[in-house]
């Protein structure tokens, strides 16, 4: 055959073959085609060794950009080597992930490399990273994307190397991989291997539909099957499975699935372009009696599904840190109630939260040896429901403070108490009902018209104890103490508490435009409400079978700053309309607050067990300590208001070191002033935010410098606290205001002892320990 004919024939055959392949290739076939990948999925190196990793199945000239990043630079570094390779170098013992992003044309492919470093690298320190091959028994929040990294862990003590965390994730019975081809059958309960139709029977009944799962003789592979959801009454109806007992709290998961609209669906049913928007979703309850919360993964992301072909997607997501129940499901976003089918599902756990390191020195034990009774932290109730967080707290702390969940705006519902219809015949009026619930009703309460409706019926503000009761029990079960924070404040008190008839009026964002005409200005009427509120709460807490966990109550918060009010909606100082705007050390409502609280302590014989505290910030600023002393002196003075004498045990020094006044020297001076007054002193909200701020442009070196300054400040501050304690100051408690930088109210300042999570030990932690060690020498 002539060469030209041979060449032409070869080209024709190649073209025909290409056309055939294009005509039959669907998403599943594409999975078998060559994809960009790494030469290795995982490597193990010894400290100091390097390894070149190649990017395969793409030519360098087609790569527009290659980026590589290590999740733990203290463990592994990664450096580009041209456009199709990079070098990983082992720095210290541990595990890390290297993420490579390869941009070809407009598409960027993300590739992951697991690196394990084996060798004794104790002198390097650092926190333990996630071991995806060993699921953890406990869990914590994964580090937030873009969260600031902690500086390298220093040596503890003078010459002793920082111990490397040795806690190993413990394998559990929860699944690491769930695969389903949906070949059936549908069982008697309408389920397919645990998967079910997610729907509301009432909706189905109203619509005359039977929402159900069926096995469809139409799968990704020829001759295979899938599961389809038929007769959907609502768009949220989906294909669902309950994973409550098998999901890992805070775990990261990857789901791969294929989806399609069945062939038997008419094109007339589609709203647009024969496409259906599918969503990957999850619903969870934090506790049995809480409402469910629902999420899409990632948030508000749609995955197009077609009638003409199977489409395959891979999605990564993280589940909540604490759960009572968890449901995983597929649903649609809009597009009516068209049926959809799922096939070849694989749900695998790819990471678990880093466990805290139980080999670290315990803060509570270290400082307990120096005479500090309580060493605590600030949390929310949900934080306590996570087993890893709770283990971490129990290791380091013996006290907690709820940041917001016991403040007045959390306790007061902004509604008035009402007798339930089913109990209306049991009580003659709401006062009798309130007393049956344990409310304290002052004798003069009914004397004020502002506490009555238009018909003269008594109105009582509703107080919500659900969260408080749970917290008390949780603390009791875990053997941890609690500070109650806080009863009275000039902020975070709902306006309804101050209005006539407790009407919840809208507050303008422009304070000057707020109309105070509906605000109660009668001092006696307000103090009657205050008595009802304080005594009801105190009696409820002190009557609890778990009341022994409470060792301190912040009765009044930040009164010396009552003129420094926020202009945010709902944050105005509503006390000012009756008692004046300026700080007054003889303010009757402040003094009475302590007396009301003390009344209840005496009732329960707890006046020697629970400290009533005045809590404030910037206590070391010029003049503030003197204001506080004048205030507490008046509170504890016997007179017509206070028949007892000393009802305020002392002062809570918040110690948010946020400005130039926040220095160890100023702290030492103030501690001495309060010591001279014989006050109980509690360091109630310690964090350091005056050493720099992290922004989007902050470099790693700049972050490290901020962390170093924060650590040095902690050393100086703790040293002064220890000195003051040794010199006779009655410092009962030290409370660090939060678990980690990421969860701090001022995260941008890297203010705490742990960084991205409870496993990320910062230099600040070691400096706090070192201050105690040095003081013991």
């Amino acid at each position: 055959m002539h060469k030209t004919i041979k060449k032409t024939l070869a080209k024709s055959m190649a073209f025909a073959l290409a056309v055939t392949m294009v005509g039959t290739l669907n998403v599943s076939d594409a999975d078998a085609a060559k994809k960009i990948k790494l030469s290795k999925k995982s490597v193990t190196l010894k400290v100091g060794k390097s390894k070149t990793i190649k990017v395969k199945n793409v030519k360098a000239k087609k790569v527009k950009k290659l980026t590589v990043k290590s999740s733990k630079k203290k463990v592994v570094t990664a450096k580009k080597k041209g456009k199709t390779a990079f070098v990983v170098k082992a720095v210290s013992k541990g595990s890390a992930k290297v993420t490579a992003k390869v941009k070809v044309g407009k598409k960027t492919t993300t590739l992951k490399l697991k690196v394990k470093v084996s060798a004794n690298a104790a002198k390097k320190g650092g926190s333990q990273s996630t071991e995806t091959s060993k699921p953890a028994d406990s869990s914590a929040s994964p580090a937030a994307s873009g969260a600031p990294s902690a500086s390298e862990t220093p040596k503890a003590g003078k010459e002793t190397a920082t111990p490397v965390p040795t806690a190993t994730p413990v394998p559990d019975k929860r699944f690491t991989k769930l695969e389903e081809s949906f070949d059936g059958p549908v069982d008697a309960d309408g389920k397919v291997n645990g998967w079910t139709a997610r729907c509301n029977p009432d909706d189905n009944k109203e619509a005359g539909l039977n929402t159900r799962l069926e096995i469809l003789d139409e799968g990704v592979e020829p001759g295979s099957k899938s599961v389809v959801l038929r007769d959907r009454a609502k768009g949220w109806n989906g294909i669902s499975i309950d994973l409550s007992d098998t999901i890992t709290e805070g775990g990261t998961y990857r789901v791969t699935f294929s989806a399609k609209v069945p062939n038997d669906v008419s094109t007339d049913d589609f709203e647009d372009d024969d496409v259906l928007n599918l969503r990957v979703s999850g619903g969870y309850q934090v506790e049995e009696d809480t409402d469910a919360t629902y999420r899409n993964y990632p948030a508000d992301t749609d995955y197009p599904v077609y009638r003409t072909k199977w489409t395959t997607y891979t999605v990564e997501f993280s589940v909540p840190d604490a759960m009572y129940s968890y449901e995983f499901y597929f649903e649609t976003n809009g597009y009516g109630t068209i049926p959809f089918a799922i096939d070849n599902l694989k749900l695998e756990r790819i990471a678990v939260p880093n466990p805290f390191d139980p080999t670290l020195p315990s803060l509570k034990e270290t400082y307990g040896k120096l005479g500090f009774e309580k060493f605590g932290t600030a949390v929310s109730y949900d934080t306590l429901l996570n087993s890893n967080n709770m283990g971490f707290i129990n290791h380091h702390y013996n006290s907690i403070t709820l940041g917001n969940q016991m403040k007045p705006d959390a306790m007061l519902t902004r509604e008035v108490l009402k007798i339930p219809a089913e109990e209306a015949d049991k009580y003659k009026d709401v006062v009798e009902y309130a007393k049956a619930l344990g409310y304290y009703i002052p004798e003069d309460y009914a004397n004020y018209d502002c506490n009555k409706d238009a018909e003269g019926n008594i109105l009582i503000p509703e107080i919500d104890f659900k969260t408080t009761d749970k917290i008390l029990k949780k603390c009791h079960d875990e053997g941890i103490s609690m500070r109650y924070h806080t009863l009275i404040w000039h902020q975070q008190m709902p306006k309804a508490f101050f209005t006539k008839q407790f009407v919840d009026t809208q507050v303008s964002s422009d304070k000057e435009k707020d109309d105070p005409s509906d605000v109660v200005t009668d001092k006696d009427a307000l103090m009657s409400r205050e008595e009802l509120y304080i005594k009801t709460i105190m009696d409820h807490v002190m009557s609890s079978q778990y009341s022994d966990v409470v060792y301190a109550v912040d009765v009044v918060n930040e009164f010396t700053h009552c003129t420094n009010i926020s202009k945010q909606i709902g944050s105005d100082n509503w006390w000012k309309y009756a008692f004046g705007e300026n700080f007054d050390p003889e303010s009757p409502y402040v003094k009475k607050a302590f007396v009301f609280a003390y009344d209840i302590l005496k009732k329960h014989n707890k006046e020697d067990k629970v400290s009533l505290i005045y809590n404030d910030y910037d206590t070391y600023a010029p003049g503030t300590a003197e204001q506080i002393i004048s205030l507490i002196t008046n509170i504890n003075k016997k007179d017509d208001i206070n028949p007892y004498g000393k009802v305020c045990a002392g002062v809570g020094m918040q110690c948010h070191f946020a400005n130039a006044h926040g220095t160890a020297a100023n702290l030492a001076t103030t501690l001495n002033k309060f010591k001279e007054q014989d006050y109980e002193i509690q360091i109630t909200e310690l964090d350091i935010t005056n050493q720099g701020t992290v922004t989007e442009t902050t470099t790693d070196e700049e972050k490290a410098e901020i962390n170093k300054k924060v650590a040095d400040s902690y050393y100086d501050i703790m040293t002064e606290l220890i000195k003051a304690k040794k010199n006779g100051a009655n410092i009962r408690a030290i409370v660090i205001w939060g678990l980690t930088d990421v969860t701090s109210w001022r995260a941008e300042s890297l203010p705490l002892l742990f960084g991205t999570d409870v496993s990320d030990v910062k230099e600040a932690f070691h400096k706090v320990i070192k201050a105690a060690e040095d003081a013991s020498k």
Side-chain angles (χ1 to χ4, degrees), residues 88-259:
V88 289
K89 183 177 181 180
V91 178
S92 64
K93 183 180 178 181
S95 298
K97 285 184 180 180
V98 174
T99 302
K101 293 186 178 182
V102 187
K103 186 175 183 180
V104 179
K106 295 183 178 181
K107 182 180 179 182
T108 298
T109 301
T110 300
L111 307 168
K112 303 278 188 179
L113 173 73
K114 298 178 185 177
V115 184
K116 184 176 181 180
V117 180
S118 61
N120 185 3
K123 290 184 180 181
K124 286 289 181 181
S127 59
Q128 181 174 346
S129 67
T130 301
E131 290 280 358
T132 57
S133 60
K134 296 181 180 181
D137 185 51
S138 54
S139 55
S141 301
S145 177
S149 61
S151 62
E152 187 167 347
T153 307
K155 296 180 180 179
K158 289 186 176 179
E159 298 296 333
T160 304
T162 301
V164 174
T166 57
T168 302
V170 180
D172 56 39
K173 296 180 181 179
R174 291 169 284 190
F175 81 90
T176 55
K177 185 180 291 186
L178 180 69
E179 296 186 84
E180 183 61 68
S181 59
F182 296 110
D183 291 330
V186 179
D187 64 22
D189 295 324
K191 297 182 179 181
V192 179
N193 292 339
W195 294 83
T196 187
R198 183 171 183 266
C199 60
N200 184 333
D202 292 337
D203 292 338
N204 296 346
K205 185 177 180 180
E206 182 178 341
L209 297 173
N210 177 26
T211 306
R212 66 197 182 280
L213 295 183
E214 289 183 356
I215 298 301
L216 185 68
D217 289 328
E218 183 183 345
V220 174
E221 292 80 19
S224 66
K225 299 180 181 181
S226 60
V227 65
V228 63
L229 186 65
R230 296 286 192 185
D231 289 344
R232 298 166 59 223
K234 300 287 184 179
W236 61 266
N237 294 164
I239 299 173
S240 167
I241 188 168
D242 184 354
L243 300 178
S244 301
D245 297 328
T246 52
I247 207 81
T248 300
E249 295 176 339
T252 301
Y253 289 82
R254 179 187 296 123
V255 59
T256 300
F257 65 95
S258 299

Side-chain angles (χ1 to χ4, degrees), residues 596-614:
F596 295 152
Y598 196 82
D599 283 340
I600 303 302
L601 291 186
K602 281 192 68 67
K603 174 184 174 182
H604 294 276
N605 298 315
K606 288 181 178 287
E607 61 267 38
D608 296 327
K609 298 177 181 178
V610 179
S611 299
L612 301 181
I613 298 295
Y614 171 73

Side-chain angles (χ1 to χ4, degrees), residues 370-654:
L370 297 174
F372 293 93
E373 180 185 339
K374 304 293 182 184
F375 204 103
T377 188
V379 296
S380 66
Y381 175 59
D382 291 356
T383 305
L384 304 178
L385 299 178
N386 178 273
S387 55
N388 192 42
N389 288 342
M390 199 66 244
F392 170 80
I393 291 168
N394 275 325
H395 180 70
H396 286 295
Y397 306 108
N398 58 6
S399 167
I400 64 162
T401 306
L402 276 297
N404 288 298
Q405 289 170 305
M406 289 182 170
K407 287 177 179 173
D409 62 350
M411 301 296 294
L412 289 162
T413 68
R414 297 166 176 77
E415 302 288 340
V416 293
L417 194 64
K418 295 179 181 178
I419 305 174
E422 62 272 17
E423 297 189 69
D425 295 338
K426 292 175 59 177
Y427 304 101
K428 64 179 182 181
D429 56 28
V430 72
V431 173
E432 186 177 64
Y433 174 63
K435 288 181 177 179
L437 293 179
Y439 281 65
Y440 176 88
I441 311 300
E443 292 181 3
D444 66 340
Y445 188 79
N447 295 344
Y448 308 105
D449 290 340
C450 61
N451 296 335
K452 302 175 185 177
D453 64 15
E455 287 75 39
N457 300 306
I458 302 297
L459 301 174
I460 297 171
E462 184 181 56
I463 303 173
D464 184 357
F465 289 106
K466 291 194 294 290
T467 301
T468 299
D469 290 342
K470 291 177 182 178
I471 292 166
L472 290 170
K473 184 178 186 303
K474 184 68 174 176
C475 287
H476 174 268
D477 293 346
E478 296 291 342
I480 197 165
S481 299
M482 186 189 78
R483 303 185 76 259
Y484 189 103
H485 177 75
T486 177
L487 290 173
I488 296 295
W489 193 16
H490 61 276
Q491 294 189 55
Q492 284 190 244
M493 289 199 75
K495 186 181 179 182
F497 182 81
F498 300 91
T499 60
K500 300 166 186 175
Q501 288 79 48
F502 300 99
V503 176
D504 186 16
T505 56
Q506 179 66 37
V507 184
S508 169
S509 59
D510 183 350
K511 191 176 61 175
E512 299 303 318
K513 293 181 181 178
D514 286 339
D515 181 6
S517 61
D518 59 345
V519 176
V520 177
T521 57
D522 185 323
K523 293 180 181 180
D524 292 333
L526 274 183
M527 285 194 287
S528 183
R529 290 185 178 187
E530 179 186 46
E531 183 176 12
L532 180 152
Y533 176 69
I534 290 178
K535 287 189 175 180
T536 298
I537 288 180
M538 286 290 293
D539 196 49
H540 183 93
V541 172
M542 295 304 151
S543 298
S544 168
Q545 60 181 313
Y546 311 118
S547 63
D548 286 348
V549 302
V550 180
Y551 70 95
V553 176
D554 288 333
V555 178
V556 177
N557 195 49
E558 301 178 3
F559 181 63
T560 68
H561 299 89
C562 63
T563 58
N564 184 23
I565 55 178
S566 170
K567 290 188 177 182
Q568 296 177 357
I569 295 177
S571 296
D572 204 350
N573 176 11
W574 300 106
W575 295 99
K576 70 181 181 183
Y577 294 107
F579 296 96
E581 185 172 3
N582 297 320
F583 167 75
D584 178 4
E586 297 185 359
S587 172
Y589 86 85
V590 172
K591 183 164 185 168
K592 278 204 168 185
F594 280 89
V595 174
F596 295 152
Y598 196 82
D599 283 340
I600 303 302
L601 291 186
K602 281 192 68 67
K603 174 184 174 182
H604 294 276
N605 298 315
K606 288 181 178 287
E607 61 267 38
D608 296 327
K609 298 177 181 178
V610 179
S611 299
L612 301 181
I613 298 295
Y614 171 73
N615 191 55
D616 212 336
Y617 68 92
D618 268 2
T619 52
Y620 30 72
T624 304
E626 288 71 23
Q627 285 183 314
I628 292 172
I629 290 169
S630 66
L631 178 66
I632 295 179
T633 298
N634 181 70
I635 291 170
N636 288 336
K637 182 178 65 177
K638 276 191 177 184
D639 55 20
D640 293 341
I641 294 178
N642 177 6
Y644 304 114
K646 188 175 182 179
V647 291
C648 177
V651 62
M653 301 176 65
Q654 291 183 13

Side-chain angles (χ1 to χ4, degrees), residues 700-719:
D700 289 343
E701 291 76 14
E702 290 169 335
K703 290 177 185 177
E705 181 61 23
I706 294 172
N707 271 316
K708 183 180 184 305
K709 290 179 179 179
V710 168
D712 291 341
S713 292
Y714 268 110
Y715 181 88
D716 294 341
I717 289 162
M718 302 309 287
T719 298

